[in-house]
Amino acid sequence: MGSIFNIKRLPHSEGIPLPKYQTDGSAGIDLPAAIEGSASIDPGARLLIPTGFAFSIPRNYEGQIRSRSGLALKYGVTVLNSPGTIDSDYRGEVSVLLINQGSKTFFFERGDRIAQMVFTKIEQVKFQEVKALDKSDRGLGGYGSTGLSKNSENSVS
């Protein structure tokens, strides 16, 4: 058993189960749609969906909001700012920004699992300004500089 985090049920989530891990090996908890009745997202549209829950995430942790793989594969529905970050000092309702990148309108109902949240330890860093950075093998190589594979005809250089 891991750490214990506090969760607050908001009034509009009555009747919706608490977010939970679906299997013993799950990395994230599934987040529900705390909407009245049903809703839809047209192709190309985005929608902010309330979950009905607020969390007290301890300092040095964050909650990362991620897409559910089944929704992405079957319907093209993903978390727009994935991963979204829930900071440890935020105490408001967690909402999920979904986008429909599929070709058909996506319909969902109250309580449907729409995203997942993974809790991750983080460390705040301090910066030290320097005149030059240390050298690396990659150097200034940016997008595509490492290619697809060393043996691929499609390798990008």
Side-chain angles (χ1 to χ4, degrees):
M1 188 56 148
S3 302
I4 297 175
F5 291 10
N6 293 329
I7 184 171
K8 179 182 178 182
R9 178 184 295 279
L10 302 175
H12 58 281
S13 69
E14 287 301 322
I16 295 176
L18 285 175
K20 67 177 187 174
Y21 296 96
Q22 295 299 309
T23 68
D24 288 340
S26 294
I29 59 171
D30 285 335
L31 297 172
I35 57 172
E36 290 300 322
S38 61
S40 64
I41 309 172
D42 290 329
R46 57 189 179 272
L47 184 63
L48 187 63
I49 305 164
T51 66
F53 297 98
F55 296 81
S56 178
I57 300 172
R59 186 169 176 77
N60 296 324
Y61 280 87
E62 70 164 325
Q64 293 182 358
I65 308 299
R66 301 178 183 186
S67 300
R68 294 194 64 227
S69 59
L71 293 182
L73 176 64
K74 294 176 186 174
Y75 308 103
V77 173
T78 62
V79 174
L80 183 58
N81 60 326
S82 185
T85 293
I86 308 300
D87 294 312
S88 66
D89 56 354
Y90 177 67
R91 294 295 181 269
E93 179 175 18
V94 170
S95 294
V96 176
L97 181 58
L98 289 183
I99 185 168
N100 182 349
Q101 299 179 82
S103 58
K104 297 179 183 174
T105 299
F106 175 70
F107 297 92
F108 60 102
E109 297 187 16
R110 178 178 176 79
D112 282 354
R113 295 174 290 147
I114 56 166
Q116 59 182 322
M117 184 159 56
V118 174
F119 296 99
T120 308
K121 283 191 173 189
I122 56 105
E123 179 180 348
Q124 287 189 340
V125 299
K126 294 181 180 174
F127 294 99
Q128 174 179 298
E129 189 172 353
V130 296
K131 299 240 185 251
L133 299 175
D134 57 317
K135 297 197 182 297
S136 72
D137 288 341
R138 185 174 185 170
L140 299 176
Y143 292 104
S145 66
T146 61
L148 298 175
S149 73
K150 289 185 178 187
N151 299 321
S152 174
E153 290 179 19
N154 299 321
S155 185
V156 177
S157 39

